[in-house]
Amino acid sequence: MRPTGKLHLGHYHGVLKNWVKLQHEFECFFFIADWHALTTQYDDPSGIEQSVWDMVIDWLAAGVNPGSSTMFIQSQVPEHAELHLLLSMITPLGWLERVPTFKDQQEKLREKDLATYGFLGYPLLQSADILVYRAGKVPVGADQVSHVEITREIARRFNHIYGREPGFEEQAEGAIVKMGKKNAKLYRNLKKRYQEEGDLEALETARALLKEQQNISLGDRERLYGYIEGGGKVILPEPQPLLTPESKMPGLDGQKMSKSYNNYIGLREEPDSVAQKVRTMQTDPQRVRRTDPGDPEKCPVWSMHKVYSDADTQEWVQSGCRSAGIGCLDCKKPLIDAIVEEQRPLHERAREYESNPDLVHSILQEGREHARDAARDTLEEVRAAMGLHYR
């Protein structure tokens, strides 16, 4: 996530709640993309450091757990930059120019000079961010799937160019033997079924079999992935997009919640401020007087009730609004209570971390070390494949 400062409820419902769930299902790497911030903020980086700090506190407050995931700052893991450089040697210019967000962002940010290599190359840096951890899945919204797709194309191109190491087949056959007689026989059978009959189930079974093997190295495992797929050694596996459920969190005006629209409630907004913002929300324009009936479907407050209120409260809103049995301030009160209640544990966790900055620094330090260990393993193979492995 780019460091944009303190987060809002749109981030919480659209991204962070999903991260909290994913950290218990996968090995997760969550990082603050400060280099990415420089692609558009290079002329004024003064706010980046504070934004990083605020965002990390928000992650921790939301329940992202350093014991269940790896949290770090992108620029503190230089392997991202090295892989970005090495991938730039093989990435066609046209691939970067056709990324949908390239022209879109240039159009939206006309006041900025974005005719820079950094801006053109940011999708490649994103690809390096993913490939350096050999990620299997990348949680993204539907509008970001194209970034995962270019990452897959770059991985495919890299493997095609560099995966045919000298003696590949001999090394793959040697790796099969290391699996033991029973597993070796099963692997060969699955390989035959996939390559001769196109049996995709056999391919998936073979991948699962290789994943379970404890007595072969990571390099051998990647070799055998490539051997069954009919290519070379899979040095950089192709990631898959993991679609994030679309955020149902509307802004105070009914549009998507966004800082740029100034229609947001902060993730750690003070209760009095939450109450003030909700009380002054616009409502159905037909309800001029308290006695005028309204239509919830035309009211931004109803959109927020759909996120926060149970069925009984929603029914109360629908009937009360349409019959003018309740006023707009009556309608807003349970919403204020629900938001304040949701935020209470977030405030408590945030205070704990804000009062102990050393703890936050140690979390990021540990995350950095873990991330670097994983990234170094990838870079070692990438360098060797590109002829940069010197004794």
Side-chain angles (χ1 to χ4, degrees):
M1 193 182 287
R2 286 166 67 115
T4 54
K6 291 182 178 179
L7 303 180
H8 54 63
L9 291 180
H11 295 117
Y12 181 58
H13 287 274
V15 178
L16 292 178
K17 285 173 83 172
N18 187 49
W19 284 10
V20 170
K21 175 173 167 283
L22 291 176
Q23 69 185 350
H24 300 299
E25 299 174 7
F26 301 96
E27 181 184 7
C28 290
F29 290 80
F30 301 124
F31 71 89
I32 299 95
D34 54 343
W35 276 334
H36 283 292
L38 286 173
T39 60
T40 53
Q41 292 170 242
Y42 62 86
D43 55 340
D44 182 19
S46 57
I48 291 178
E49 185 176 354
Q50 186 60 46
S51 292
V52 167
W53 181 259
D54 289 338
M55 204 166 74
V56 170
I57 298 286
D58 279 342
W59 288 6
L60 293 164
V64 178
N65 186 346
S68 304
S69 60
T70 300
M71 299 169 59
F72 61 97
I73 298 170
Q74 179 188 33
S75 63
Q76 293 188 339
V77 182
E79 286 77 8
H80 286 237
E82 183 180 351
L83 185 58
H84 174 222
L85 171 69
L86 295 176
L87 293 177
S88 74
M89 304 302 176
I90 65 159
T91 303
L93 205 54
W95 288 15
L96 299 175
E97 291 172 334
R98 75 163 195 251
V99 173
T101 49
F102 175 64
K103 286 191 171 63
D104 182 52
Q105 286 288 305
Q106 280 191 320
E107 198 66 29
K108 282 182 181 172
L109 302 172
R110 280 185 173 180
E111 75 282 2
K112 291 182 177 288
D113 177 11
L114 295 181
T116 61
Y117 167 73
F119 185 71
L120 175 66
Y122 87 87
L124 186 58
L125 179 56
Q126 282 187 324
S127 295
D129 296 333
I130 296 165
L131 296 172
V132 78
Y133 301 106
R134 307 192 202 198
K137 297 181 185 297
V138 189
V140 290
D143 59 334
Q144 297 166 306
V145 169
S146 61
H147 287 287
V148 182
E149 188 51 45
I150 191 174
T151 301
R152 289 168 54 77
E153 290 176 1
I154 289 164
R156 204 174 302 140
R157 181 171 168 83
F158 185 92
N159 293 329
H160 176 72
I161 295 172
Y162 299 111
R164 279 294 181 185
E165 58 189 337
F168 170 73
E169 290 194 8
E170 291 82 355
Q171 292 191 56
E173 287 292 336
I176 294 173
V177 173
K178 293 177 192 173
M179 293 166 64
K181 284 185 179 179
K182 183 180 174 184
N183 287 330
K185 183 178 179 183
L186 176 57
Y187 175 86
R188 291 184 197 282
N189 179 263
L190 292 167
K191 178 173 178 283
K192 184 177 180 183
R193 278 169 50 196
Y194 173 65
Q195 293 186 350
E196 293 182 10
E197 302 164 29
D199 187 339
L200 291 174
E201 194 175 319
L203 176 62
E204 289 305 315
T205 304
R207 284 174 174 161
L209 173 69
L210 292 172
K211 198 172 182 181
E212 293 170 2
Q213 297 307 302
Q214 301 295 321
N215 51 344
I216 60 174
S217 68
L218 181 64
D220 278 340
R221 184 176 291 118
E222 298 297 346
R223 249 174 226 109
L224 293 179
Y225 281 139
Y227 198 36
I228 195 169
E229 289 169 0
K233 178 182 175 183
V234 180
I235 302 164
L236 297 175
E238 294 180 34
Q240 297 290 338
L242 181 64
L243 280 177
T244 298
E246 191 177 345
S247 175
K248 300 290 191 292
M249 190 69 220
L252 296 167
D253 56 1
Q255 296 185 82
K256 177 183 176 182
M257 187 172 283
S258 169
K259 283 186 178 178
S260 58
Y261 297 152
N262 197 29
N263 66 352
Y264 66 94
I265 294 175
L267 186 72
R268 293 183 277 138
E269 193 106 12
E270 289 302 320
D272 287 347
S273 179
V274 171
Q276 175 65 15
K277 284 186 174 182
V278 175
R279 281 196 200 104
T280 55
M281 278 180 72
Q282 63 187 65
T283 53
D284 179 0
Q286 299 303 313
R287 290 204 74 179
V288 179
R289 293 178 295 274
R290 167 70 171 76
T291 53
D292 292 334
D295 181 356
E297 301 301 333
K298 296 177 181 175
C299 178
V301 179
W302 169 243
S303 298
M304 295 187 85
H305 271 294
K306 287 192 283 190
V307 175
Y308 281 101
S309 298
D310 58 24
D312 289 343
T313 304
Q314 289 187 28
E315 174 58 33
W316 172 77
V317 169
Q318 282 280 350
S319 60
C321 179
R322 292 181 189 280
S323 66
I326 62 172
C328 293
L329 286 176
D330 299 323
C331 175
K332 291 172 178 177
K333 179 151 191 338
L335 194 55
I336 294 168
D337 293 342
I339 294 172
V340 168
E341 186 58 35
E342 177 183 64
Q343 291 185 323
R344 183 172 288 114
L346 277 64
H347 281 294
E348 289 172 4
R349 283 195 290 263
R351 277 194 291 271
E352 176 190 342
Y353 290 110
E354 283 181 320
S355 64
N356 192 352
D358 288 345
L359 175 59
V360 179
H361 286 300
S362 70
I363 287 169
L364 293 173
Q365 172 75 13
E366 284 179 28
R368 178 182 75 179
E369 293 308 316
H370 184 231
R372 289 204 73 181
D373 285 345
R376 282 191 192 106
D377 288 343
T378 302
L379 260 299
E380 196 170 310
E381 285 212 46
V382 167
R383 290 189 204 110
M386 296 182 78
L388 304 173
H389 194 238
Y390 306 109
R391 291 182 182 276

